[in-house]
Amino acid sequence: MQQPTPRHNTTGNSNTYEARVPNNPPGGKEAMPMDTEVYESPYADPDELRSSTVDRSQLFLEDGELGSGNFGTVMKGIYKMRKTEKPVAVKILKNDDNLQSVTDEMLREANVMQQLDNPYIVRMIGICEAESLMLVMELAELGPLHKFLQKHKQTTVKNITELVHQVSMGMKYLEEHNFVHRDLAARNVLLVTQHYAKISDFGLSKAVAEEQNYYKAKGHGKWPVKWYAPECINYFKFSSKSDVWSFGVLMWEAFSYGQKPYKGMKGNDVMQMIESGSRMDAPLNCPPEMYDLMKTCWTYKLDDRPGFSVVEPRLREYYYDISQ
Ligand code: AMP
């Protein structure tokens, strides 16, 4: 008698991303974003109570770090909700003397994330105040895009286009809702599966007034200068258009399989290069259509630079063209 097709990968090799794809459809077909548990908000189910706080007794932390930053560590965990159990990522604030400023930073990040609900953005599930302050988020287990691509050089151009298109959809949502990200880079795009990307790290993000549509920083900070548009550096002005510039750098990182942009150059040299009208060369084997789009994102004048409402359909059309 024929055996039924297993719903999950049963190769036993839990180190491959294929094996860890949640709800991988039968027949070895790629899981689509909507096949995963993190496409819809965990609170989309009316039986789950929407709350911005997570009860510590319902949160179970697992051994092993997913990552770390200057705030502390990110651990994997399970959050027991009323009807389901969700695998989660938990950002845990380290307890040190710097506490107040880092606590404020984390609460600001949580405040922004709480206002966002889009399949291509990591959602916050809630804040948990217990032995440490913890930010509970959806899990994107395959980690940062640049590291994934460094390790998986066989990833196809079609697959990379699919992922950057998803990032552009998340950014279009942010633009429509008047948020600026201010730290858009491949390190801040996390993968749920090889075919599903989400934007993360809202530590520098700001809501902007609709009429003004930009945020003016009070002074220079610890900035990712190589990802920043000229008006950010020269006038401290941040808008969705400056996120578009960063998105061009992110595209360059993705099509170069996770290489560092402007490798070996100092921030000042990069600024001079941009002011003189030069831009990074195309990554090896990058489709000309995608390099043209990067250069469009690096349009010097803000008014001539497109928004995500233009960038997203260009990526969508190119992706559809190569998928025929
Ligand atoms: P961050 O400071 O937000 O950039 O987080 C530091 C690192 O923790 C990231 O580079 C990821 O490797 C990991 N990380 C953060 N958030 C998540 C998440 N939601 N799911 C999986 N890993 C995460």
Side-chain angles (χ1 to χ4, degrees):
M1 205 178 80
Q2 210 184 353
Q3 292 296 312
T5 316
R7 177 133 180 85
H8 294 282
N9 182 319
T10 53
T11 57
N13 182 358
S14 60
N15 287 330
T16 64
Y17 48 81
E18 295 282 327
R20 287 189 274 137
V21 168
N23 302 331
N24 218 7
K29 264 198 95 225
E30 294 161 1
M32 302 292 286
M34 44 283 233
D35 297 325
T36 69
E37 283 186 36
V38 283
Y39 189 74
E40 277 201 322
S41 163
Y43 298 113
D45 183 338
D47 287 347
E48 297 291 359
L49 291 180
R50 186 179 278 275
S51 161
S52 56
T53 56
V54 160
D55 188 342
R56 181 67 181 91
S57 65
Q58 304 303 108
L59 180 65
F60 301 87
L61 296 178
E62 292 180 4
D63 286 341
E65 265 180 31
L66 287 167
S68 64
N70 46 11
F71 55 86
T73 53
V74 180
M75 307 279 287
K76 198 174 156 180
I78 298 284
Y79 178 43
K80 289 212 157 83
M81 299 182 73
R82 278 180 145 191
K83 278 170 66 181
T84 58
E85 287 184 7
K86 292 267 171 212
V88 290
V90 187
K91 211 178 236 198
I92 306 175
L93 201 70
K94 67 177 169 216
N95 297 310
D96 71 3
D97 17 354
N98 235 337
L99 198 62
Q100 198 50 50
S101 63
V102 208
T103 305
D104 292 348
E105 207 178 296
M106 199 192 230
L107 291 174
R108 267 199 301 272
E109 181 174 7
N111 180 43
V112 169
M113 287 183 91
Q114 204 186 347
Q115 299 176 62
L116 309 173
D117 181 8
N118 182 267
Y120 304 105
I121 293 177
V122 171
R123 294 186 185 90
M124 182 183 90
I125 293 174
I127 279 275
C128 179
E129 283 183 80
E131 63 274 24
S132 300
L133 185 64
M134 296 185 264
L135 175 63
V136 184
M137 299 171 283
E138 289 176 333
L139 178 68
E141 201 169 10
L142 299 198
L145 176 64
H146 68 306
K147 289 200 178 147
F148 181 87
L149 292 173
Q150 284 163 9
K151 276 193 231 128
H152 297 92
K153 296 261 166 46
Q154 79 290 4
T155 309
T156 60
V157 160
K158 182 180 151 203
N159 193 164
I160 297 175
T161 309
E162 176 185 37
L163 295 170
V164 293
H165 175 235
Q166 292 171 350
V167 176
S168 76
M169 287 194 278
M171 289 309 299
K172 190 168 150 217
Y173 170 90
L174 277 192
E175 178 178 85
E176 284 163 0
H177 290 80
N178 301 305
F179 280 92
V180 288
H181 188 285
R182 299 181 68 224
D183 200 5
L184 187 60
R187 63 180 171 276
N188 289 329
V189 170
L190 302 179
L191 298 186
V192 177
T193 72
Q194 189 181 350
H195 299 281
Y196 188 7
K198 280 180 180 261
I199 301 160
S200 79
D201 203 339
F202 291 84
L204 287 174
S205 304
K206 302 280 174 200
V208 292
E210 209 168 325
E211 330 72 70
Q212 196 178 30
N213 77 38
Y214 67 85
Y215 164 77
K216 178 107 170 51
K218 289 183 193 71
H220 212 294
K222 237 181 103 191
W223 285 350
V225 171
K226 290 181 178 176
W227 281 261
Y228 273 5
E231 70 275 9
C232 307
I233 315 281
N234 297 333
Y235 306 109
F236 305 163
K237 244 176 114 169
F238 295 85
S239 61
S240 294
K241 294 280 187 88
S242 49
D243 280 344
V244 165
W245 181 289
S246 312
F247 180 76
V249 182
L250 183 156
M251 280 183 73
W252 187 94
E253 295 179 271
F255 284 100
S256 66
Y257 291 84
Q259 278 192 47
K260 287 196 175 101
Y262 310 97
K263 203 170 172 190
M265 290 176 71
K266 294 247 181 335
N268 271 341
D269 300 333
V270 172
M271 278 155 60
Q272 270 182 19
M273 174 178 161
I274 300 299
E275 293 289 339
S276 75
S278 300
R279 299 292 183 265
M280 279 193 282
D281 290 337
L284 197 68
N285 300 327
C286 176
E289 292 87 345
M290 293 293 92
Y291 183 52
D292 280 349
L293 183 56
M294 287 176 214
K295 284 190 293 186
T296 308
C297 294
W298 302 328
T299 302
Y300 190 93
K301 263 185 79 190
L302 191 74
D303 291 340
D304 298 339
R305 200 182 304 148
F308 285 104
S309 60
V310 172
V311 171
E312 185 276 322
R314 272 187 66 175
L315 272 161
R316 189 194 326 151
E317 274 157 32
Y318 181 65
Y319 178 60
Y320 286 173
D321 277 354
I322 59 172
S323 302
Q324 296 300 318

